Amino acid sequence: MDNSTRSPITPTFQHFDLAHNLRRRVRVVAPSLRKDLERTYAAEILLRKHKGVRHVRSVSDLGSLAIEFDPATLPKDNLLRLLDRLIENLGHSRSRTSAAPAVEVDPDAPLCEYTLIVDGMTCASCALLIEMLLHRDPRIDQAAVNYATETAAVRGRLTKDAVVDLIGRWGYSAQPLGSLAQRKLQLVKEEQRLAAARRRFVWSAILTVPATIIGMSMPHRGLLHWVELVLTAPVVFWAGRPLFSKAWALAKHRSANMDTLVALGAGSAFLYSVVTLLLRRRELYFEAAAGIITFVLMGRYLEEKARGRAHQAIRSLIDMQPVTANVLRDGVEITVPIEEVQLGEIMMVRPGERIPTDGEVIEGLSTVDESMVTGESLPVVKEPGQPVIGGCVNGNGAMKIRVTAVGADTVLAGIVHMVDHAQATKLPIQKTVDRVSAVFVPSVMGLSGATLLGWLAVGAAPTRAFSNAVAVLLIACPCALGLATPAAIMVGTGQAARRGIFIRNGETLETASHLNVVIFDKTGTITEGKPQVVDVINQSRLSDPDLIALAASAEVNSEHFLGQAVVARARELGAALHEAKNFISVPGRGISARVGRYDLLLGNAAWLTDQGVPLESWESVAASLAGEGKTPVYCGLNGHAVAIFGIADRPRDNAPQALAQLHRMGVRTLLVTGDVPAAANYVAGWVGIDEVIAQARPERKLEIVRELQSQGARVGMIGDGINDAPALAAADVGFAIGSGTDIAMETADMTLVQGDITKVAEAMSLSRDTLRIIHQNLFWAFAYNTVAIPVAALGKLSPMIASAAMAFSSVSVVLNSLRLQRR
């Protein structure tokens, strides 16, 4: 298609990696769609039906469509032609130019990601509203607001202050969320907010009870009407002030949420009663107005209290970091708040204290309990030059530690951020719920008006028609619907964190529940990852210690477990290491380096064969070692094979149990490893895996994942090394062993912190339980509204009862989600 002559749109393209597949994003502006919500929405629906389109987001105010697509299924030119025909079929005129949006987008501005705490949200519809308003800004690419965690995750070409300002315009407040100190302040604010919610509810109840008694006592005198007014006015205008303030702020932006419904219902009832009282009539709804506010406040107080319980996992992690640190400044030791500690400063850590932040030991010797991160039950010896992690407990020695990370860059902050991010992520099922909730409040307001007119049309008294209309406003609460998914995700990911399973995003929680194939790496995954050199078959002129010293001099630069085993053996022998030059590491194959006068090769048979080293005479030796479950590592010097190291790595004690659990769940398991077939089969037989694929390079592991996926399987991959990273990324869910490499953990969707592979089955089971709770929540939320709205419209509920039912619907969803804590 020739865009210069035909296109009705202005397209821009971006390449990006999403869900571990190469995709593209195109943002198009179609002037004919601007300000036309119906046709923009129709275009979005039609695009979603195409199998090559992964995601569509439309902004009718700008006439723009942001489309994520798979170029392998739907090439760029085909997509543009599809858009061309689609807009033409919608009956729009065409133009290449479009007016500039109200907010200018700087294409050269960096694409930034922010996580912020949002204060002032009173229900799930608030989160949906803020998210929709953020999406209207053309500078923002993605935005996700979660009411359960009170966070907003925003990605776009604007500053953090600009995002804070945007949210502030709509009556909410936002602040950055990064360091643990900021997170602690947020937890303190949550406690203060809970206390304020309780105070408002208690005082409202104290004033509402006598007002209700007066309102229900018939007949009563005119003076009591005024007493009722005096009792209920503080409830409506003081306790209910946040509801009215929020509703007014949203009305100024032509928006509405649940606060709008409550404010309309309670405000109408109160003002109607004031007018009636001044006209000396008897139809008063003072007690109903106060009751509405009181029940809403009670529901929100109980909801805040339940959410506080769900945040316990985050709170326990944050409490691990000390609030102060002892640092040396100008040779003097002083105590400073943790947020004032700077990079490069020297901290003093005494026996029994928690290490304030990440650092490197420069003086002293001690043991440190790192079980919170590594899961290792035994303390780890720390000496000068070794790293320590903030939040871990020091043993019996005193140490001086140089600070290497502060704030949001620490390991503990990263773990908290991972849990936060997982709790704030929306599952695919939530997108449908959001679409329903977006039109719910306006629909309810229209239905309430129709109820009023309908009752008046059939000759009902104005007071009854008014009462039924208010009941419809109050009973139709979208909060339960909006809370159904995030409340369950928050509790589920929190429970996972307590069990040493850190989930990168909420979508993974849903995907893990559907896995039916799990692929295991061997070394460091099925095995303990603590291999030892148990055999040295040496045919060189060098002694065993000298040969091992040469090999270790090269392997000291490698992160691979087998290489580290060689290094460990050299240190046991007290061998001196030499400088290695021209070091090259090929994942899944081996290494090469120049050590002294030797060109050294270490790795598997394929690696040495590729380098032109003949191995025929070594084949029987290697087969014998592999048959005993040992991994043969060839050593070549100056183009000749001179030795084989037999390296044994003991299978994890709980590996057979982990595999048995997966098999009971109906999961197919495979062992895919770069090791030789004999060693792989030995380990597989030990732990109970029937299918084995040996000598698999990283690209072969990736191919296996994709082959299984092409057959319709939902694939999980468990690994720990650099060579596992591609397969971890391509799998539907990647599980990284917490003691593995940084690349593996960064690529995976879940991290098993303690290296306990039985947690795979536990994670899948927890995912299934969480999804079941979500389905229960959604069923009851939809069922509640389906039944309650017609009942209210038919005049079977008073406004006060409707308000109580609305409050308890939200509370029930949160309480049902908390059942996950009893697993």
Side-chain angles (χ1 to χ4, degrees), residues 683-734:
V683 172
W686 179 279
V687 300
I689 297 179
D690 297 326
E691 299 180 63
V692 178
I693 300 175
Q695 294 181 320
R697 296 183 63 181
E699 57 267 29
R700 177 56 183 151
K701 293 183 179 182
L702 176 60
E703 289 174 0
I704 292 169
V705 170
R706 288 178 172 166
E707 287 171 5
L708 290 167
Q709 289 172 330
S710 68
Q711 298 167 9
R714 296 290 186 93
V715 182
M717 171 70 194
I718 309 172
D720 68 308
I722 296 174
N723 60 326
D724 299 315
L728 287 170
D732 294 283
V733 178

Side-chain angles (χ1 to χ4, degrees), residues 514-531:
H514 301 298
L515 295 180
N516 50 26
V517 177
V518 173
I519 299 173
F520 287 87
D521 175 46
K522 183 179 78 70
T523 305
T525 303
I526 290 292
T527 60
E528 291 181 342
K530 300 176 181 177

Side-chain angles (χ1 to χ4, degrees), residues 302 306 309 810-820 822:
L302 294 175
R309 288 173 55 194
S810 296
V811 175
S812 66
V813 164
V814 178
L815 293 178
N816 187 48
S817 300
L818 287 172
R819 291 195 301 118
L820 287 168
R822 299 203 300 269

